[in-house]
Amino acid sequence: MQNPDKKIKKKRTLLQKSVNVFLYFWLGVLILLIVAFGVSQTSTFREYLRELVIESANDALNGKLNIEGLEGTLFTSIILHNTSLKMQEDTLFFAKKIEVRTSPLRIFLKTIYARKIEISGAKINLISDSLGVMNILKLIPPTVDEDTTSSEFPFSIEVADLNLKRVDF
């Protein structure tokens, strides 16, 4: 005979189990996104990102990129301080400040929208050698296997405010 004090456990249906799995999965994804967003706002993450960008650019270019500081929220604004690009002994590009502010939600409308791009305190050196080849053309090394396929870029690019302050060519 069963004890009257014990509650009878009701067995959950397959639908209830499926709904619970679905809810817990999306709750976990949401928590991971919140944690990732929080981590991306830290100075440690920005320093890691700065070093990753510099390392990737230096591997891909015939030059040396340097970024002294990186600020911003990563999703809506990025500010680079004292950015330089050198090739051998020549400084091709130097800027005290590069600021880019975006609207990330417009990406769903197939638009890369920059609310503001500002380059200030920049010096750009475009020099041609004895053969008449500009130094900027030597910056990207030639690829061995050229891709000859063509396709249309699926996004439109809009810039609302472009400012060049104290830029010397």
Side-chain angles (χ1 to χ4, degrees):
M1 203 164 157
Q2 288 187 359
N3 189 350
D5 293 336
K6 283 189 177 179
K7 293 185 179 180
I8 299 173
K9 283 190 176 184
K10 192 174 175 183
K11 215 172 190 192
R12 291 189 289 168
T13 66
L14 182 61
L15 178 65
Q16 289 172 323
K17 290 179 183 178
S18 300
V19 168
N20 284 345
V21 167
F22 180 76
L23 288 174
Y24 286 130
F25 173 77
W26 286 109
L27 182 64
V29 168
L30 180 65
I31 289 171
L32 283 175
L33 286 174
I34 290 170
V35 168
F37 181 76
V39 167
S40 72
Q41 302 304 311
T42 64
S43 61
T44 304
F45 178 78
R46 284 193 297 265
E47 181 63 24
Y48 168 76
L49 182 64
R50 183 187 74 82
E51 290 175 3
L52 182 69
V53 167
I54 290 171
E55 183 181 319
S56 298
N58 289 341
D59 288 345
L61 299 174
N62 285 332
K64 183 168 172 42
L65 177 71
N66 185 36
I67 303 169
E68 281 188 18
L70 185 136
E71 294 178 12
T73 61
L74 190 65
F75 296 107
T76 59
S77 66
I78 295 177
I79 302 168
L80 306 175
H81 295 285
N82 295 328
T83 304
S84 66
L85 181 59
K86 294 182 179 183
M87 195 166 73
Q88 295 161 353
E89 298 299 317
D90 296 330
T91 300
L92 294 161
F93 176 82
F94 174 81
K96 279 195 162 302
K97 180 179 160 186
I98 301 171
E99 180 177 354
V100 179
R101 297 191 182 271
T102 63
S103 292
L105 294 179
R106 294 233 184 148
I107 202 82
F108 296 117
L109 301 172
K110 294 206 172 220
T111 301
I112 298 172
Y113 184 73
R115 293 180 290 143
K116 177 182 181 182
I117 297 177
E118 182 178 300
I119 301 174
S120 60
K123 186 169 182 166
I124 302 168
N125 294 318
L126 301 176
I127 303 169
S128 52
D129 64 7
S130 60
L131 299 174
V133 178
M134 300 280 295
N135 58 359
I136 196 149
L137 296 175
K138 298 177 189 175
L139 186 60
I140 299 173
T143 57
V144 177
D145 298 327
E146 274 194 43
D147 185 10
T148 57
T149 60
S150 64
S151 63
E152 209 173 288
F153 188 65
F155 296 93
S156 64
I157 300 172
E158 294 180 27
V159 178
D161 186 16
L162 175 63
N163 292 318
L164 301 175
K165 295 181 178 178
R166 298 179 312 280
V167 176
D168 294 331
F169 282 93

